[in-house]
Amino acid sequence: MAFDRRTFLGTTAATGAAVALTGAAGAPAAAQPGPRTYSFTVMGTTDLHGNVFNWDYFTDKEFDDKAHNDVGLAKISTLVDQVRAEKGRCNTLLIDAGDTIQGTQLSYYYAKVDPITARRGPVHPMAQAMNAIGYDAAALGNHEFNYGIPVLRKFEEQCDFPLLGANALDAKTLRPAFAPYSMHRLRTPHGRDVKVAVLGLTNPGIAIWDKANVQGKMTFPGLEEQAAKYVPKLRSMGADVVIVSAHSGSSGTSSYGDQLPYIENAAALVAEQVPGIDAILVGHAHTEIPEYRVKNKATGKDVVLSEPLKWGQRLTLFDFELTWSKGCWSVAKVGARVLNSNTAAEDPKITRLLSDEHRKVVAYVNQVIGTSTQAMSSADGPVKDVAIIDLISHVQAETVKGALAGTEWAALPVLSQASCFSRTASIPAGQVTIRDAAGLYPFENSLEARLLTGAQLKDYLEYSARYYVRTAPGDVVDPAKLTNSEGTPDYNYDAVYGLSYDIDIAQPAGSRIAGLSFQGKPVDPAAQFVLAVNNYRASGGGNFPHVPQARQLWANSDEIRNTIIQWVKAKGTVDPAQFATVDWRLTRGGVPVF
């Protein structure tokens, strides 16, 4: 039976105090003599990103990485069953911290190709799997909004559990657009149930990253602000335990700088600043944190944080011990740990449930859409100008040129930014499939055109070049240790197609771009250029300078990867000789590194 949002919100929705009250299965045991204690476990996942099977749709084979991790809800289901068997089904809860319906071709297919929003459309595979496993609640992630609010609302309707977002507000009424929290009763042997509140918090960066989908419809205040509002309320409602499920990393960093007055990765700050929280399931940062303790400033008590690794690679366990004293339950002890899904077999219940959907998507991604004259790989993309990333930029630039034809901007040169989104992307020689083309761009970004000057582009490239670790002339260069300086992810290093330049990695960040030229001539700081740029970057993602404030000349709602697929279909043949050039290189004192 699908979760009924109207029943869930009930009559309290108008006051922003939505609550679901669920009872764990099983009858209470007879009362026992002696001290009253009770133990239970809250399991958690996060950043599942559309992974049900231990399968990579971009390589068309079982998922594997250097650490031999496995992925998918089918494996998580087996771990969950093991924990429930050990602890007792009635002594466990299962929650998630968001980013559920975007990330794989399985999730893309049921948002775009055979959409769940169609009349008599299918049930989303993630809803089917999570319902079958028995999730109790899930926080909203920022990627939940990538396909637009109608898709998210349909997914919400299909889930048997609430989607929580205390800081996702209706833009007009400033009331919760989703349930802020859920309340769960766990039966104990002592005649007094334990009430566990789960508060859901999402990322305020949604207002930037998915501006086109949420502007004027929803607003996203800070996590601390909303937690401070709801945690006392949950305690006043009788919650014995308060758990926060936060789609927000623990580090306190932000990829959108000062564009919003809220911190992107605020989970540790919530723990430190808001009293009354016992544990936080952390998401968004795609890091593994088995247990991290933060002392609350007001109470002096530890708040336990845990972040399980993305895509269903880990399952967090929060183990609680409660004692009965003075007429109420109190938390005596809480610890956290993670289980590795590569120790578990896929649950046949889940694989059988979604075998048809899996086969449909495998057939879809293996459709041949063209041919390539030679093989291309992104393996060296972080340190070299490679043809496969030039392909992304060439398609983007050509698309923008076509869109601006006949406008006042038609005569301006069009440049393009692109990143090495995946170090394993490849285009084979010969037949090219949808999965080959889609694998170049694993994100749901769309394309825009922004107007920038030569001086602004120089600033942009200097900012991008922070990605490299400063390496003195004569020092040994290890490509594996040269990139990702200060934790900068690959997708926040941009190369600009259409300009020529050197990046001197011996220089400090901010003084690395040399020989910047366009068509063989030094770039005039006052000259105007059109930059083909993804909506994430244009909206401030990565905190690159100038682009968010630059004039928008054109925008498209179609995903860039779909634009690449359609381009390959239209051309029939991909020939790197027609678009690939070595425009940038790493140097030290003018001497090429490679």
Side-chain angles (χ1 to χ4, degrees), residues 85-268:
E86 176 189 351
K87 305 287 186 179
R89 177 67 176 85
C90 58
N91 300 318
T92 64
L93 292 171
L94 175 60
I95 63 177
D96 183 80
D99 275 7
T100 303
I101 60 171
Q102 174 277 336
T104 64
Q105 286 293 287
L106 180 71
S107 52
Y108 176 83
Y109 187 89
Y110 287 98
K112 291 290 188 179
V113 182
D114 185 12
I116 60 174
T117 49
R119 189 166 178 259
R120 298 179 182 175
V123 176
H124 198 288
M126 294 301 288
Q128 292 190 59
M130 295 174 81
N131 289 342
I133 295 169
Y135 273 77
D136 294 287
L140 295 164
N142 56 285
H143 284 289
E144 259 65 84
F145 295 85
N146 286 172
Y147 295 117
I149 292 173
V151 170
L152 175 53
R153 286 299 189 194
K154 189 64 178 180
F155 175 70
E156 179 189 30
E157 178 185 315
Q158 293 176 343
C159 291
D160 293 342
F161 52 90
L163 299 184
L164 307 178
N167 60 329
L169 309 181
D170 181 275
K172 294 180 180 178
T173 66
L174 298 183
R175 293 175 178 171
F178 295 84
Y181 57 85
S182 56
M183 193 78 79
H184 310 266
R185 286 188 184 274
L186 299 177
R187 294 186 177 182
T188 77
H190 306 296
R192 209 282 196 174
D193 295 347
V194 169
K195 292 176 70 175
V196 181
V198 179
L199 177 67
L201 297 170
T202 192
N203 206 292
I206 294 165
I208 289 175
W209 305 322
D210 268 300
K211 182 178 180 180
N213 290 327
V214 302
Q215 188 174 35
K217 300 173 184 177
M218 292 186 191
T219 187
F220 302 88
L223 283 82
E224 289 177 75
E225 171 188 327
Q226 294 301 102
K229 173 181 177 180
Y230 280 103
V231 171
K233 180 179 182 65
L234 294 172
R235 290 295 185 182
S236 70
M237 292 170 61
D240 301 295
V241 178
V242 173
I243 299 169
V244 173
S245 183
H247 193 76
S248 179
S250 62
S251 69
T253 59
S254 177
S255 67
Y256 49 75
D258 59 0
Q259 293 184 71
L260 286 178
Y262 310 118
I263 296 175
E264 176 182 348
N265 293 307

Side-chain angles (χ1 to χ4, degrees), residues 281-504:
L281 177 65
V282 178
H284 183 61
H286 289 200
T287 57
E288 181 177 348
I289 305 174
E291 183 184 87
Y292 175 40
R293 291 179 177 269
V294 175
K295 194 172 294 294
N296 182 267
K297 284 188 173 181
T299 65
K301 294 181 178 179
D302 281 355
V303 181
V304 177
L305 285 68
S306 180
E307 181 176 4
L309 201 57
K310 64 186 185 298
W311 305 347
Q313 295 179 30
R314 302 289 186 273
L315 176 70
T316 278
L317 304 186
F318 291 104
D319 294 311
F320 286 86
E321 293 183 14
L322 275 62
T323 57
W324 178 264
S325 177
K326 299 179 180 179
C328 65
W329 289 107
S330 61
V331 175
K333 183 180 179 183
V334 57
R337 54 196 168 104
V338 296
L339 302 181
N340 193 328
S341 67
N342 70 10
T343 65
E346 289 189 319
D347 186 343
K349 171 184 66 181
I350 303 301
T351 57
R352 282 196 303 267
L353 176 68
L354 292 165
S355 59
D356 287 345
E357 287 83 349
H358 177 64
R359 282 194 294 267
K360 283 182 182 179
V361 175
V362 169
Y364 164 74
V365 299
N366 281 289
Q367 291 179 45
V368 175
I369 55 174
T371 59
S372 178
T373 60
Q374 66 184 65
M376 293 179 281
S377 169
S378 65
D380 290 333
V383 295
K384 296 179 182 178
D385 189 347
V386 296
I388 199 167
I389 297 176
D390 284 349
L391 173 59
I392 297 172
S393 276
H394 180 75
V395 171
Q396 292 180 164
E398 193 172 278
T399 301
V400 167
K401 285 178 184 176
L404 296 181
T407 72
E408 62 181 298
W409 315 107
L412 290 181
V414 177
L415 312 175
S416 178
Q417 61 82 222
S419 305
C420 184
F421 299 108
S422 167
R423 297 192 184 201
T424 60
S426 63
I427 296 288
Q431 292 185 335
V432 178
T433 63
I434 284 177
R435 67 178 172 85
D436 296 325
L440 304 185
Y441 219 110
F443 300 104
E444 260 64 47
N445 296 340
S446 57
L447 187 61
E448 296 190 15
R450 296 283 177 128
L451 184 66
L452 278 85
T453 66
Q456 290 174 328
L457 285 164
K458 173 74 158 39
D459 290 346
Y460 187 98
L461 289 170
E462 288 285 10
Y463 183 85
S464 184
R466 301 174 314 136
Y467 174 72
Y468 294 106
V469 175
R470 190 177 184 183
T471 309
D475 285 359
V476 175
V477 175
D478 181 354
K481 298 178 181 178
L482 184 59
T483 62
N484 308 103
S485 178
E486 299 181 355
T488 302
D490 291 346
Y491 61 77
N492 274 342
Y493 168 64
D494 287 358
V496 174
Y497 179 80
L499 296 177
S500 295
Y501 54 96
D502 290 346
I503 302 172
D504 191 336

Side-chain angles (χ1 to χ4, degrees), residues 4-15:
D4 190 333
R5 181 171 179 271
R6 292 167 299 177
T7 301
F8 176 78
L9 292 174
T11 58
T12 61
T15 63

